[in-house]
Amino acid sequence: MKHCTNLSCLNSNPQPVANFQKSKDSKDKLTKTCKTCIKATEKNTYGHMIQRCYNKSNPNYKNWGAKGVRIFSDWIGIDGYKKWFDYVSKLPHFGKKGRTLDRFPDPSGDYMIDNLRWATGEEQAHNHRRKL
């Protein structure tokens, strides 16, 4: 049985190869990351999203929450993470190295269904909020 090649693997029970997602790392080597590691990474993405939008003490709040950016109400509270994960895990490029969550096509809009994608840094650089 092969093991996850993610150096920060949080999975203490090695997953069978069928549960691995293949991706290329920054040196273009093929890596295999188990679903547990992918979920841990996405849980961080979810937590950072919540903090940016609702925690006034978060240093990034001024660029998100203070500007009125909100999160789809079904993705907050009990079962919020599960519902969010169920949605974002079905979007193209989910779990691919070098992709992060992006509000698209409306970069000024909320974190909502039909306004999210997994994008590269280059794609996000072209997706700026309109200045008023």
Side-chain angles (χ1 to χ4, degrees), residues 17-82:
V17 173
N19 286 343
F20 280 75
Q21 170 135 356
K22 293 179 182 178
S23 62
K24 294 205 175 193
D25 67 12
S26 60
K27 295 178 184 168
D28 218 26
K29 293 180 188 170
L30 191 62
T31 61
K32 292 179 180 169
T33 305
C34 66
K35 288 184 179 177
T36 301
C37 288
I38 290 170
K39 274 194 170 187
T41 300
E42 303 323 325
K43 198 153 202 162
N44 285 338
T45 298
Y46 175 80
H48 290 272
M49 178 181 71
I50 297 285
Q51 291 298 311
R52 284 191 302 262
C53 292
Y54 298 107
N55 181 356
K56 292 180 182 177
S57 299
N58 185 289
N60 293 309
Y61 177 82
K62 66 181 182 235
N63 295 316
W64 279 267
K67 292 185 177 182
V69 176
R70 298 293 176 252
I71 300 168
F72 180 46
S73 61
D74 284 1
W75 297 343
I76 298 171
I78 297 173
D79 294 327
Y81 171 75
K82 181 187 178 320

Side-chain angles (χ1 to χ4, degrees), residues 3-23:
H3 292 65
C4 179
T5 57
N6 183 347
L7 295 177
S8 60
C9 184
L10 303 173
N11 187 9
S12 59
N13 300 316
Q15 298 291 305
V17 173
N19 286 343
F20 280 75
Q21 170 135 356
K22 293 179 182 178
S23 62

Side-chain angles (χ1 to χ4, degrees), residues 82-121:
K82 181 187 178 320
K83 291 174 184 176
W84 173 84
F85 186 84
D86 287 346
Y87 176 75
V88 300
S89 65
K90 293 177 181 125
L91 293 173
H93 310 296
F94 168 75
K96 288 189 178 174
K97 199 163 189 107
R99 302 268 179 166
T100 56
L101 198 60
D102 185 29
R103 287 176 292 135
F104 181 86
D106 181 4
S108 299
D110 294 334
Y111 288 96
M112 299 288 295
I113 290 173
D114 295 331
N115 196 41
L116 294 178
R117 69 175 176 178
W118 292 103
T120 64

